[in-house]
Amino acid sequence: MDGFEGFRAIFANAVNVNGGEGVVEAGTRLDSLDEWDSLGKFLLLSLVFAEYEVNLDAGDVNAASSVGDIWRLIEREKTLRYVNLRLAEGR
Amino acid sequence: MGVIRIDGAAVGGISACVPRLEINNFEYGKELYGDGLEATIRATGVERRRFVTGASITALDLCARAASALRDSSGFDYSEFGGLLFVTMTPDFFMPNNASYAHKLLGFSQGTPALDIGMACSGYPYGLWLAGMMALSTGKKILLLDGDTHSPFISPHDRATSLLFGDGGTATVVGPSPESGPWFFDFVTVGDRDSLVVPNSGYRDRVSAASLNYAEFPDGSRRRGIDLRMDGMAVFNHVVRNAPQSLARLMEAEGKSSEGYDYLLLHQANLMMISQVAKKLKFAGERFPTSIAKYGNIGSGSIALTVCSELEDAVEAKMSRVLMSAFGAGFSVGSASVEIGPCPCAGVVEYEGEFGVSDV
């Protein structure tokens, strides 16, 4: 699964909820989830790193308010990495 | 600073000691983790760990017992050693240090130095580095003790920490050995005292009657001022930013790829995190031994405990080139490439008796 679908499953795994549509959506508020706590956040960072090789910043994650905010952080890091790779190749 | 090199030091023996009381996390975590317990145990990797009972057994007891087991199995005479180092965050007292009493218990000569090193989980490579230099400057063997007892200050109501930590002590002999291959070290110090801290543990925010009360935090966890507080995300960020790079610098200095090492030993912080670091460096299977399922995270002694638990036969049989990295409060990273074995390994012994100190 690519894109947000793949991330939805990873996120659901980290916070131990049913990951089907309607439970975890981009608009789902993080503070509505019981297990969005220190452990859930840690598990999410580990799973995201394993899947995307992105080391999400703790401050950015704490500032996020929805599931979609976190997905955008991952996409931003992936884009930055792509741009840096291209820049390095061009040198 | 770059990679540091020591020529002519070798590990001469290694052992570990754990308390007898075994905690089964599948039982211990039922109430706090509910349906998420199995997934949490799978991610952290900690199935069981050992706890000292009450306050009666300490890191000093466990380390001294590890050292006496090594003496009994190998014939070391500590009165001929050149010094003693004790890496711990959980000494018997702020004053006096642990090392001086361990020195007495183990029969060291009064004309030899004994000092504590106050390092958390990153401490073992620092201890090896200092022990290596002491061995070279004295021309004698050095005893490196490394252990902690976390159980007295881990809140059973804190989901970030309550399943992770265990208690244990280790002993490593480091001696001069002109024939041995070089040791390499790389250190990183970030300067962070928020992500891993015991708030009321020293003189900044002193312990008071209020330190003993459980307070509830926004994530629902409850802990006391005397309990460890861990920001798991910040720790993860530090480890991923620093540990692989530190190990890569060692590999570059040695001109080796991962195939050039027999084993990668990582501080047993939690399985999911260290597996990611190992994967990044292309270590897996037998070349990436772990002991976290059996003993949890015992702090800075976890690498030596893993050697004793998982590599006892290999250490006794052959020389292995070992890459290691340890990371923890401070924020601090220590990495090393050293040779271990062939040398005596007393494995992991259980602490006999209910009370310390300390008939070694």
Side-chain angles (χ1 to χ4, degrees):
Chain A
M1 283 186 292
D2 292 330
F4 183 77
E5 283 302 303
F7 175 66
R8 187 208 304 269
I10 287 170
F11 184 89
N13 197 355
V15 299
N16 192 39
V17 295
N18 173 352
E21 283 185 42
V23 180
V24 177
E25 294 294 341
T28 303
R29 307 284 305 172
L30 295 168
D31 55 18
S32 72
L33 300 163
D34 282 349
E35 300 199 31
W36 182 244
D37 62 6
S38 54
L39 178 68
K41 291 175 186 176
F42 171 80
L43 294 177
L44 181 71
L45 256 63
S46 303
L47 293 167
V48 164
F49 185 73
E51 180 67 24
Y52 307 106
E53 287 212 17
V54 166
N55 185 16
L56 283 176
D57 180 78
D60 290 345
V61 173
N62 279 327
S65 53
S66 70
V67 174
D69 288 349
I70 294 177
W71 175 236
R72 281 186 284 282
L73 290 172
I74 295 168
E75 289 201 304
R76 186 185 73 188
E77 289 299 316
K78 286 164 67 183
T79 305
L80 277 174
R81 192 163 57 204
Y82 179 80
V83 169
N84 285 332
L85 200 65
R86 286 284 166 277
L87 285 172
E89 282 174 354
R91 236 180 267 146
Chain B
M1 181 164 67
V3 170
I4 303 163
R5 177 174 173 147
I6 292 180
D7 285 282
V11 170
I14 188 163
S15 64
C17 176
V18 295
R20 256 190 306 181
L21 176 63
E22 186 172 79
I23 303 297
N24 177 348
N25 272 353
F26 291 98
E27 294 296 326
Y28 188 90
K30 267 183 182 167
E31 192 181 331
L32 190 60
Y33 295 83
D35 290 346
L37 179 61
E38 288 209 13
T40 304
I41 290 174
R42 216 168 34 244
T44 60
V46 184
E47 297 175 11
R48 290 164 283 155
R49 56 242 167 90
R50 302 297 181 98
F51 277 10
V52 293
T53 43
S56 58
I57 299 170
T58 69
L60 174 61
D61 300 320
L62 299 173
C63 288
R65 185 59 59 81
S68 67
L70 187 58
R71 175 191 61 201
D72 295 345
S73 67
S74 67
F76 286 127
D77 179 355
Y78 291 130
S79 72
E80 293 178 359
F81 274 43
L84 186 154
L85 294 172
F86 203 130
V87 180
T88 190
M89 278 273 110
T90 53
D92 281 22
F93 306 103
F94 281 151
M95 187 170 72
N97 64 3
N98 266 10
S100 299
Y101 204 70
H103 183 275
K104 174 186 169 172
L105 288 172
L106 294 165
F108 275 63
S109 148
Q110 284 199 353
T112 55
L115 56 146
D116 281 14
I117 302 170
M119 299 295 289
C121 297
S122 64
Y124 190 65
Y126 289 85
L128 284 179
W129 176 53
L130 293 166
M133 291 194 293
M134 285 171 70
L136 295 179
S137 75
T138 60
K140 293 187 170 185
K141 292 187 179 73
I142 304 299
L143 180 63
L144 168 63
L145 301 178
D146 187 347
D148 283 292
T149 51
H150 293 100
S151 57
F153 63 100
I154 299 297
S155 168
H157 314 293
D158 184 346
R159 284 167 45 90
T161 56
S162 80
L163 290 185
L164 290 179
F165 294 90
D167 303 332
T170 67
T172 306
V173 171
V174 174
S177 174
E179 310 300 315
S180 295
W183 286 5
F184 297 91
F185 296 90
D186 183 86
F187 300 113
V188 181
T189 309
V190 175
D192 160 319
R193 55 183 190 182
D194 293 319
S195 56
L196 273 164
V197 61
V198 184
N200 299 158
S201 61
Y203 291 95
R204 177 61 59 185
D205 293 314
R206 290 188 200 176
V207 68
S208 66
S211 310
L212 304 178
N213 298 331
Y214 280 96
E216 182 148 352
F217 292 87
D219 69 357
S221 288
R222 290 190 296 129
R223 60 179 177 270
R224 303 164 297 181
I226 57 168
D227 289 330
L228 175 69
R229 182 181 82 211
M230 179 171 83
D231 178 345
M233 282 204 298
V235 171
F236 186 88
N237 283 165
H238 280 307
V239 171
V240 169
R241 274 179 205 142
N242 294 300
Q245 291 84 338
S246 175
L247 287 163
R249 283 192 291 275
L250 288 179
M251 294 163 80
E252 191 183 341
E254 284 192 274
K256 288 181 180 172
S257 64
S258 84
E259 288 75 31
Y261 303 90
D262 297 295
Y263 302 106
L264 173 67
L265 292 167
L266 296 178
H267 164 55
Q268 304 289 290
N270 81 66
L271 190 62
M272 187 184 275
M273 186 171 71
I274 64 175
S275 297
Q276 294 306 324
V277 174
K279 187 177 156 199
K280 211 169 161 60
L281 294 164
K282 300 187 168 57
F283 284 87
E286 287 182 0
R287 294 173 61 236
F288 174 52
T290 65
S291 62
I292 191 166
K294 286 183 252 182
Y295 301 114
N297 173 355
I298 68 154
S300 53
S302 78
I303 287 178
L305 176 62
T306 302
V307 170
C308 294
S309 163
E310 306 304 313
L311 301 176
E312 181 179 358
D313 294 342
V315 166
E316 296 224 309
K318 66 181 174 82
M319 188 277 281
S320 301
R321 172 56 69 168
V322 173
L323 194 59
M324 67 175 74
S325 189
F327 23 80
F331 195 87
S332 167
V333 177
S335 302
S337 166
V338 303
E339 290 177 359
I340 298 182
C343 67
C345 178
V348 183
V349 300
E350 288 191 335
Y351 192 88
E352 300 288 338
E354 298 302 317
F355 299 98
V357 123
S358 225
D359 48 328
V360 298

